[in-house]
Amino acid sequence: MALEEYRNKRNFSETPEPSGSKRPRPRHAAPIFVVQKHRARALHYDFRLEIDGVLASWAVPKGPSLSPDDKRLAMQTEDHPVEYADFEGVIPDRQYGAGTMLVWDRGTFEIGEGGTAGDQLARGRLSFLLKGEKLRGAFVLLRAGAAGEGRQWLLIKRSDEHADRLWKIDRFDGSVLSGRTLEDIDGGRAPGSSDKKRSGR
Ligand code: MN
């Protein structure tokens, strides 16, 4: 995995997004995941898992769900640098992914049985346990299509004590980093000045 596609799509003198030039993370640290709510041409949620030094990424139009009844379409996108997990703000007009982004959830994950995360990604079937602030428990990402090609995957919650069949994503709006909504960020509201303060951690 490499970041060429990520870098080729962006002009870092125009966008505030990180170029991915930073240090590798300590090897013993648990891998992270992040979900970013992104209002670009269409609203979607970017779901990212740290695998082999980068953030493997999927755009999920309806966002993740804690209901095992939901099969969320997840379009694989280019790998992102690990420090992208800290990014929220406004990507300027005419830049790739122009629009407003917030860190909707973040935490660590454990890969499930079936080999390393890299192996499971290559095979098109990833099992993992999320330990976030909004998303918790067992999930699976399945690549659609028999040949194992293409970028369409499905993100599905597995049944466990964290499942919620009444899940409504809008009940869990706002940044886990700053408490801000997309509207707060658009309006130039500074981190920490929203009513909804980040809890815990
Ligand atoms: Mn996006």
Side-chain angles (χ1 to χ4, degrees):
M1 299 204 217
L3 296 171
E4 278 84 7
E5 185 180 355
Y6 173 84
R7 293 193 180 115
N8 288 342
K9 284 180 165 169
R10 291 169 176 79
N11 177 353
F12 296 105
S13 63
E14 299 289 336
T15 180
E17 295 164 290
S19 62
S21 56
K22 279 195 194 157
R23 81 293 163 197
R25 282 167 28 79
R27 208 170 292 165
H28 59 268
I32 62 165
F33 84 93
V34 64
V35 183
Q36 283 153 315
K37 186 177 182 180
H38 185 190
R39 187 166 55 221
R41 267 175 301 185
L43 180 72
H44 61 274
Y45 292 74
D46 289 298
F47 183 85
R48 312 187 198 278
L49 297 172
E50 182 186 4
I51 299 176
D52 295 340
V54 296
L55 295 176
S57 296
W58 292 262
V60 184
K62 291 184 175 176
S65 172
L66 284 184
S67 173
D69 298 332
D70 293 331
K71 294 176 172 56
R72 295 297 203 222
L73 176 66
M75 300 299 294
Q76 193 174 8
T77 60
E78 76 276 17
D79 295 337
H80 280 49
V82 172
E83 57 264 46
Y84 205 90
D86 295 326
F87 176 74
E88 62 181 26
V90 179
I91 302 168
D93 287 348
R94 294 184 297 280
Q95 298 303 305
Y96 182 74
T100 308
M101 179 177 276
L102 61 74
V103 177
W104 182 84
D105 197 17
R106 206 165 76 157
T108 60
F109 74 95
E110 270 174 35
I111 196 69
E113 287 182 17
T116 67
D119 291 342
Q120 295 190 31
L121 180 65
R123 280 205 304 273
R125 183 188 175 91
L126 270 163
S127 295
F128 50 91
L129 195 73
L130 296 182
K131 300 171 183 176
E133 298 186 29
K134 297 172 182 173
L135 298 180
R136 300 190 73 83
F139 288 78
V140 61
L141 259 169
L142 300 173
R143 187 162 49 205
E149 290 181 3
R151 302 202 131 193
Q152 279 194 28
W153 295 61
L154 294 172
L155 175 63
I156 306 165
K157 179 80 190 75
R158 288 184 152 160
S159 292
D160 63 13
E161 72 272 27
H162 299 291
D164 175 7
R165 288 196 152 77
L166 302 176
W167 170 261
K168 295 260 187 307
I169 198 164
D170 290 337
R171 281 198 217 135
F172 302 92
D173 198 13
S175 167
V176 294
L177 286 188
S178 67
R180 296 180 295 177
T181 63
L182 291 174
E183 291 69 31
D184 291 334
I185 294 170
D186 284 340
R189 191 187 283 246
S193 62
S194 176
D195 293 339
K196 287 188 286 183
K197 281 261 165 57
R198 182 186 174 206
S199 63
R201 279 219 313 177

